[in-house]
Amino acid sequence: MPELAEVEYFRRQWDAGKNAAITEVLVHPKPKLFRGIDVPALVRQLTGARIVDSFTHGKQMFFRFRPAATLGIHLGMTGDLSIASADAPQGRHDHLVLRQKARSLVFSDSRMFGRIRFMAGAEKPEWETGLPPGILTPQFTAAFVDEALRRRGGTPIKAALLDQEFFPGIGNWMADEILWQAGIEPHRRCKTLTAPERKRLHTATRAISKKSLEKIGKKLHDAPAKWLFHVRWRKGGDCPRCGAPLKHATIGGRTACWCPRCQPAK
DNA sequence: CAACCTGTTCGCCA
DNA sequence: ATGGCGAACAGGTT
């Protein structure tokens, strides 16, 4: 489920436990999501610590602690953050549980495609400093998008939009939404996009990210009316703009949905 | 029962 | 070396 705005939504779930001491740390017996991490050290460091800040970048979440440490959580395909009671038993898919006096902060992920990162100390980890420009920052310019499309020249635009090095936070439904709103057919190779199309792509990417954060960032699955979002899941839907039957195909290994009339093939 | 899935990474091949 | 593609990962849902 989680793309840009949904990741932001889940990050906020843990705000309830901000500044409260962590009394106990539970981790999943399988270390898959902790790959490359010294798990006992993480448990030691976070026991007694407090979350003092948190933020997201694309699909990546960051939590800062005092004593100084940074926890990174990626939700993968099926992860979520939630609040449970202070004595809630650890669920089968709960990979990290931070106990507090009044509640538990839970990271659950049934399909185990998520990832946990951790670094003790005040220094920023390289998995934070090495990130590309966020879509809603001034550095995410039309020129940046042009360069991304040049680099991914022969790739279908739908697949390129899923590249987190260039479009951090964009996932499958957002990519379909962007192309639909920009009127670009998803198979189009990046290098064949015209200057006006590239401009529309940049504009739509920013607008949809902003709107998503305003709406979905507060309440899950509450995308604006009239968006493709509401009809793209199942086959047989019609274009919310023109009413034409939507098309579906696999592009770059993922399901794509588009309107053949609003997004004509060249 | 088989197919499908809102993500990422790896290995293969051109 | 580089770009692009398909498979793999694992469990739940349709």
Side-chain angles (χ1 to χ4, degrees), chain A residues 49-70:
Chain A
R50 299 161 194 267
I51 295 173
V52 292
D53 192 22
S54 67
F55 57 96
T56 61
H57 183 285
K59 298 174 189 171
Q60 179 71 46
M61 291 185 279
F62 297 86
F63 295 89
R64 299 258 202 247
F65 292 81
R66 188 171 306 134
T70 303

Side-chain angles (χ1 to χ4, degrees), chain A residues 105-153:
Chain A
L105 312 183
V106 181
F107 167 35
S108 186
D109 178 14
S110 64
R111 213 167 153 191
M112 300 206 286
F113 289 176
R115 181 166 185 177
I116 293 171
R117 310 193 206 229
F118 182 73
M119 195 176 87
E123 198 183 331
K124 291 182 180 177
E126 62 81 27
W127 35 273
E128 176 181 344
T129 57
L131 292 168
I135 287 170
L136 293 176
T137 66
Q139 291 75 39
F140 189 84
T141 59
F144 179 81
V145 170
D146 285 351
E147 174 62 10
L149 298 185
R150 194 189 63 73
R151 293 268 296 276
R152 312 301 265 109

Side-chain angles (χ1 to χ4, degrees), chain A residues 217-256:
Chain A
K218 298 196 170 54
K219 186 166 178 291
L220 225 44
H221 288 192
D222 192 19
K226 305 259 189 84
W227 275 22
L228 183 67
F229 178 92
H230 301 286
V231 294
R232 66 174 293 281
W233 310 107
R234 61 171 213 291
K235 309 233 185 282
D238 296 331
C239 175
R241 187 189 292 128
C242 77
L246 296 169
K247 296 190 101 166
H248 298 264
T250 298
I251 304 174
R254 319 213 71 79
T255 301

Side-chain angles (χ1 to χ4, degrees), chain A residues 156-177:
Chain A
I157 182 60
K158 170 62 194 282
L161 279 170
L162 300 176
D163 187 338
Q164 301 300 296
E165 283 303 306
F166 295 119
F167 301 98
I170 301 302
N172 208 26
W173 78 254
M174 287 187 81
D176 282 353
E177 192 74 44

